[in-house]
């Protein structure tokens, strides 16, 4: 049995899976305290992880009917993410592993999102193109095998796709995080009412959403309060269409460039209905994990742990976490 912990952002997560990838428990405790600030506050996330992690781990073990001393491996997200949040899961995992001298597997969060596709009952086998689109990251990768050495094909140059949804939602007066609410509002709107940019002139496989958000801001100013109130659904639908098209355009390019016809999608934005429908029409064989495996969770971290080098006790005790972007710096040093 493998126990995994994930605390890179604001969800406190623990899961138990078998080495074959069968999920025995997958506990996700969403903090639900950041909405009033319009975003995740790292210090607050960290404190909540500290309060929740013990119970979440216990719940995951109980549900799986597993005991700490029986575990073959403990896995944990090492980065990228909010350092103060990562530290709670990382220190907890080290302590739990050290108690019974269990080996530890440090996992890269993005490898985790990709490895959600490797879980039972229907593991999606490489090679494939992976699109990960969440509030914190947006990237395309060529996945040749199960390991962490995926090839980064493109990533966002500014906002993540989920961030674009959240910022648009905020401009339209919806709460945080606003992706799902924006999708609901858009259902009654005309997606062709407004022409928002998809950064299609940006060559290659990188994404950019900053211009889109600014375009919505200017359009809202131009229309004025009364007209915006009347056309909120049209604005939401057109804005959503621009994000979906921006993602789909790069996915098409990535499939062409790699010659692959298999696509896996992950991250919170993968819950978006119009995106799922749009990608489903590309003609590729597509893997869309269930929403709880697309958003941050620990089962995906346990899944990735099966394919990374593990560290025996006590080698992991002086290992540290890394923040967003830090791994690249470390590699260059
Ligand atoms: O993967 P996730 O749970 O956490 C991060 O690692 O960020 O993704 C959360 C993001 C948020 O930006 C949220 O607005 C977005 O996913 N999201 C959606 C939908 N559900 C969640 N965006 C569009 N449509 C949805 N239905
Ligand atoms: Zn994530």
């Amino acid at each position: 049995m493998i126990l995994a912990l994930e605390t890179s952002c604001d969800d406190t997560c623990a899961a138990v899976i078998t080495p074959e990838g069968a999920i025995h428990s997958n506990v996700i405790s969403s903090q639900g305290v950041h909405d009033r600030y319009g975003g995740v506050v790292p210090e607050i996330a960290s404190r909540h992880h500290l309060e929740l992690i013990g119970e979440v781990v216990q719940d995951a073990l109980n549900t799986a009917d597993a005991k700490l001393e029986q575990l073959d491996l403990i896995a944990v997200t090492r980065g990228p993410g909010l350092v103060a949040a990562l530290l709670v899961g990382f220190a907890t995992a080290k302590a739990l592993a050290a108690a019974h001298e269990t080996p530890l597997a440090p996992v890269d969060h993005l490898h985790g999102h990709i490895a959600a596709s490797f879980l039972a009952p229907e593991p999606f086998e490489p090679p494939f193109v992976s699109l990960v689109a969440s509030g914190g990251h947006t990237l395309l990768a060529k996945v040749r095998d199960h390991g962490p050495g995926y090839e980064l094909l493109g990533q966002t140059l500014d906002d993540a796709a989920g961030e674009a949804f959240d910022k648009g939602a905020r401009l339209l007066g919806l709460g945080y995080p606003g992706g799902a609410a924006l999708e609901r509002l858009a259902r009654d709107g005309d997606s062709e009412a407004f022409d928002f940019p998809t950064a299609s002139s940006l060559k290659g496989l990188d994404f950019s959403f900053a211009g889109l958000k600014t375009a919505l801001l200017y359009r809202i100013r131009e229309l004025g309060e009364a007209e915006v109130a009347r056309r909120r659904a049209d604005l939401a639908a057109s804005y959503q269409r621009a994000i979906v098209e921006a993602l789909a355009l790069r996915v098409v390019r990535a499939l062409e460039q790699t010659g692959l016809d298999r696509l896996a999608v992950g991250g919170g934005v993968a819950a978006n209905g119009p995106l799922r429908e749009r990608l489903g029409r590309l003609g590729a064989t597509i893997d869309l994990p269930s929403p709880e495996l697309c958003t941050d969770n620990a089962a995906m971290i346990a899944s990735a742990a099966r394919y990374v080098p593990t560290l025996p006790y006590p080698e992991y005790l002086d290992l540290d976490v890394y923040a967003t972007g830090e791994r690249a710096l470390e590699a260059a040093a």
Side-chain angles (χ1 to χ4, degrees):
M1 288 288 192
I2 304 170
L3 167 72
L5 276 61
E6 148 68 42
T7 64
S8 65
C9 191
D10 62 337
D11 294 320
T12 315
C13 316
V16 174
I17 74 165
T18 66
E20 293 73 38
I23 301 172
H24 282 216
S25 63
N26 190 19
V27 181
I28 302 171
S29 177
S30 299
Q31 299 182 353
V33 292
H34 302 279
D35 44 351
R36 76 190 73 155
Y37 306 107
V40 176
V41 184
E43 265 307 311
I44 296 176
S46 176
R47 282 171 208 214
H48 278 269
H49 283 312
L50 207 51
E51 281 169 19
L52 294 167
I53 192 78
E55 267 182 62
V56 167
V57 168
Q58 200 55 58
D59 192 4
L61 289 171
N62 290 349
T63 307
D65 205 11
K67 296 220 164 24
L68 205 51
E69 56 270 27
Q70 299 168 335
L71 297 171
D72 303 299
L73 181 65
I74 295 184
V76 61
T77 308
R78 189 178 173 201
L82 306 171
V83 166
L86 287 163
L87 278 172
V88 176
F90 208 65
T92 306
K94 278 191 205 175
L96 292 174
H100 299 281
E101 304 193 1
T102 311
L104 187 101
V107 172
D108 179 81
H109 182 79
L110 299 169
H111 182 214
H113 273 297
I114 292 168
S117 291
F118 305 149
L119 286 160
E122 288 174 61
F124 193 64
E125 294 300 327
F128 55 78
V129 167
S130 170
L131 168 70
V132 179
S134 75
H137 15 259
T138 297
L139 61 92
L140 276 164
K142 180 176 175 181
V143 180
R144 285 195 201 84
D145 54 42
H146 297 94
Y150 55 86
E151 183 189 337
L152 188 64
L153 299 172
Q155 58 189 323
T156 184
L157 302 176
D158 37 60
D159 294 344
E163 216 176 340
F165 268 107
D166 295 338
K167 287 180 175 174
R170 185 152 151 204
L171 289 172
L172 292 169
L174 303 165
Y176 173 87
L182 193 144
E183 180 183 352
R184 275 194 299 278
L185 176 61
R187 274 181 209 144
D188 303 321
D190 173 6
S191 66
E192 311 214 349
F194 299 97
D195 197 17
F196 286 120
T198 59
S200 55
S201 59
L202 184 68
K203 297 259 181 313
L205 297 174
D206 285 335
F207 302 86
S208 170
F209 294 103
L212 171 63
K213 173 201 64 192
T214 311
L216 176 63
L217 175 68
Y218 286 158
R219 189 48 67 102
I220 285 174
R221 281 190 190 154
E222 258 166 47
L223 289 173
E225 222 172 291
E227 193 60 8
V228 168
R230 200 175 68 77
R231 305 199 62 187
R232 266 172 94 232
D234 287 347
L235 285 164
S238 304
Y239 186 80
Q240 172 175 256
R241 186 175 70 107
I243 299 177
V244 168
E245 287 307 316
L247 293 170
L249 173 70
R250 272 84 183 174
V251 167
V252 168
R253 286 183 190 162
L255 292 169
E256 272 169 19
Q257 185 179 309
T258 58
L260 294 169
D261 63 354
R262 294 163 63 75
L263 171 72
V265 190
V269 178
N272 185 266
L275 177 67
R276 294 172 85 94
E277 191 264 328
R278 179 73 178 83
L279 296 178
R281 280 194 278 118
L282 294 181
T285 306
I286 183 165
D287 183 50
L288 283 163
S290 63
E292 66 269 23
L293 292 176
C294 284
T295 56
D296 287 350
N297 68 87
M300 70 182 197
I301 302 301
S303 178
R306 299 178 293 156
Y307 307 105
V308 304
T310 62
L311 296 167
Y313 175 83
E315 276 178 32
Y316 45 80
L317 289 179
D318 56 359
L319 209 62
D320 215 343
V321 301
Y322 52 82
T324 306
E326 249 182 48
R327 195 168 66 143
L329 292 175
E330 199 176 273

